[in-house]
Amino acid sequence: MDASDMGADLEKVLVTADQISQRLAELAAQVDEDYAGKDVLLVGVLKGAALVMSDLVRALHLPAQMDWMAVSSYGSGTKSSGVVRIVKDLDTDVTGRHVLIVEDIIDSGLTLSWLVANLSSRGAASVEILTLLRKPDAAKVDVAVRYTGFDIPDEFVVGYGLDFAEHYRGLRFVGTLAPHVYETPHPTGASSTTEASTTES
């Protein structure tokens, strides 16, 4: 999908496909250097991180393995409380492994803070975070992020894995959604006030 496929649903492009590709190549080079000679496990957080993970791992030169988790966070209304339920757990034992969590976006940081603590408690040698996007103004907890692609405003964004009611994940870029899309009732019942993805990281 590209901008023309969205029509009036797109407000503006925040990060272009070329910018994403270039930045992921830069992050991959840093990961290659930092994890040289280490037993690395990339842990993608479903569903949003699927595109970031696939493009990142193809840009890496080190022999990193991949695994996936899906978690659901609970709170009042549309806001995460950081209380988390694992929907899909890892298939891999992380004991002694250097774990790199791969995320599409970090906003409140509540769910991700829980995930770091959970993986660390399983005996991982280290747990670090790589995210394509970060919203500093939305942070509720301080989460140490080792690799960040882009800091963006606290706006409603879609594309490159991020969705609204399971739409727009396949966009090659990251953009803001026009208000008329999320301020009106949606046939799938998605919330009008937060990204409708599996977790609020």
Side-chain angles (χ1 to χ4, degrees):
M1 294 182 69
D2 56 31
S4 63
D5 296 317
M6 289 192 68
D9 290 354
L10 175 65
E11 185 173 57
K12 63 185 175 184
V13 175
L14 284 181
V15 189
T16 68
D18 286 345
Q19 288 174 315
I20 292 172
S21 178
Q22 179 179 340
R23 185 64 182 130
L24 282 178
E26 293 169 352
L27 293 176
Q30 293 178 35
V31 172
D32 278 332
E33 181 178 349
D34 294 344
Y35 287 89
K38 295 181 179 179
D39 186 12
V40 183
L41 176 67
L42 304 179
V43 173
V45 182
L46 295 169
K47 301 175 183 174
L51 297 185
V52 182
M53 175 79 102
S54 62
D55 286 344
L56 174 70
V57 75
R58 286 183 293 182
L60 290 172
H61 294 285
L62 60 81
Q65 291 183 305
M66 293 186 294
D67 205 341
W68 301 90
M69 290 187 75
V71 296
S72 180
S73 57
Y74 294 88
S76 59
T78 60
K79 299 300 182 182
S80 170
S81 65
V83 178
V84 178
R85 177 173 67 92
I86 296 175
V87 178
K88 185 227 175 284
D89 207 346
L90 297 174
D91 297 319
T92 309
D93 183 0
V94 302
T95 303
R97 307 289 298 274
H98 293 277
V99 175
L100 181 59
I101 299 171
V102 178
E103 270 280 22
D104 53 346
I105 191 168
I106 299 173
D107 38 40
S108 72
L110 290 167
T111 301
L112 194 55
S113 176
W114 179 92
L115 187 56
V116 169
N118 179 274
L119 294 176
S120 297
S121 73
R122 302 187 192 192
S126 66
V127 181
E128 301 286 354
I129 301 164
L130 181 151
T131 186
L132 178 67
L133 306 171
R134 180 175 59 177
K135 294 181 178 180
D137 293 339
K140 294 181 180 178
V141 295
D142 185 20
V143 179
V145 182
R146 186 160 184 175
Y147 309 98
T148 301
F150 304 93
D151 283 337
I152 63 171
D154 187 11
E155 297 183 286
F156 199 111
V157 294
V158 294
Y160 203 74
L162 289 158
D163 75 299
F164 172 69
E166 294 300 330
H167 290 79
Y168 313 112
R169 288 193 194 274
L171 293 169
R172 299 184 184 95
F173 60 89
V174 174
T176 55
L177 203 57
H180 76 262
V181 178
Y182 56 86
E183 288 178 352
T184 56
H186 196 278
T188 62
S191 163
S192 63
T193 56
T194 187
E195 283 87 1
S197 42
T198 306
T199 68
E200 180 180 315
S201 299

